[in-house]
Amino acid sequence: MASGPRKKPRAAAAPTAAKNRAELVVAPAPKAIATPSESAQRYETVALVLQGGGALGSYQCGVYEGLHEAGIRPNWFAGISIGAINAALLAGNAPEQRVERLRAFWERVSVPALPLAQAALDLQRQWLDALPWRNKLLAYADSQGALAALLFGQSGFFVPRVPPPLPFVSNGASATSYYDTAPLKTTLEQLVDFDRINARSHAGRSRSSFRPRMFAAAKR
């Protein structure tokens, strides 16, 4: 049986240009992470609260130096005990002077209140560094330093009262402690601008909060 003419197969449709080329999908750019300094600038108040703890105050200096290098400038300082002293050094100086004044304070009060104490400490450090059993001797030297502070006080910080307070005999302020902190008052007056602290209500000035008794003897 004769069949009709075969239909010519239809040619496949040419692929579109969109299918021929690789489509590039661009993901949205991630948001830039704000630096610590940029994050701090979002707040009207950036507070630094410093606790007490004696030698812990020297670590607080390192913390503030790290904040300073990161561009973070606190404008409110609060502290108690040794933290109040550091807070006064910070609030009582311009931002560009704070690290320098903190270092000056701690280098001064870390020396026993004895004649030629700094020269003796430098000589001791050189002697210890030259010995092979340095670590064991360093522990001994630290204990001797603590004993010297107990007996003679610390330069620019405190000295023993002479004579020491005696029960039922001494009267007045001298009866309240075995040490006199008059050297600390002198040190702070040299390193802290108390007029700057008292003018904290002025625009651009740092605000501060201290434990009142800490600076009762240092107020003008």
Side-chain angles (χ1 to χ4, degrees), residues 123-140:
L123 182 62
Q124 180 190 64
R125 188 176 297 109
Q126 295 175 8
W127 179 64
L128 289 174
D129 291 341
L131 295 175
W133 51 87
R134 176 180 181 276
N135 290 338
K136 293 182 179 180
L137 288 176
L138 187 60
Y140 174 76

Side-chain angles (χ1 to χ4, degrees), residues 180-195:
D180 183 4
T181 57
L184 174 61
K185 177 178 181 292
T186 301
T187 298
L188 292 178
E189 287 177 341
Q190 293 173 353
L191 298 178
V192 176
D193 182 357
F194 286 95
D195 291 335

Side-chain angles (χ1 to χ4, degrees), residues 109-118 120-121 124 139-161 178-179:
V109 303
S110 297
V111 178
L114 289 170
L116 302 177
Q118 185 60 61
L121 286 176
Q124 180 190 64
Y140 174 76
D142 288 343
S143 64
Q144 294 302 305
L147 180 61
L150 181 66
L151 296 177
F152 306 107
Q154 292 295 105
S155 176
F157 201 162
F158 62 89
V159 292
R161 294 188 184 277
Y178 286 96
Y179 297 99

Side-chain angles (χ1 to χ4, degrees), residues 161-178:
R161 294 188 184 277
V162 179
L166 299 175
F168 310 108
V169 177
S170 302
N171 294 316
S174 61
T176 61
S177 68
Y178 286 96

Side-chain angles (χ1 to χ4, degrees), residues 31-84:
K31 294 183 178 179
I33 300 176
T35 64
S37 176
E38 292 170 342
S39 297
Q41 291 174 5
R42 300 173 184 173
Y43 298 91
E44 180 180 354
T45 300
V46 178
L48 181 62
V49 182
L50 304 173
Q51 70 179 71
L56 181 63
S58 62
Y59 293 93
Q60 295 173 356
C61 297
V63 170
Y64 180 80
E65 186 172 8
L67 293 174
H68 183 81
E69 291 176 352
I72 299 175
R73 304 288 186 266
N75 53 16
W76 191 297
F77 300 93
I80 187 172
S81 190
I82 195 65

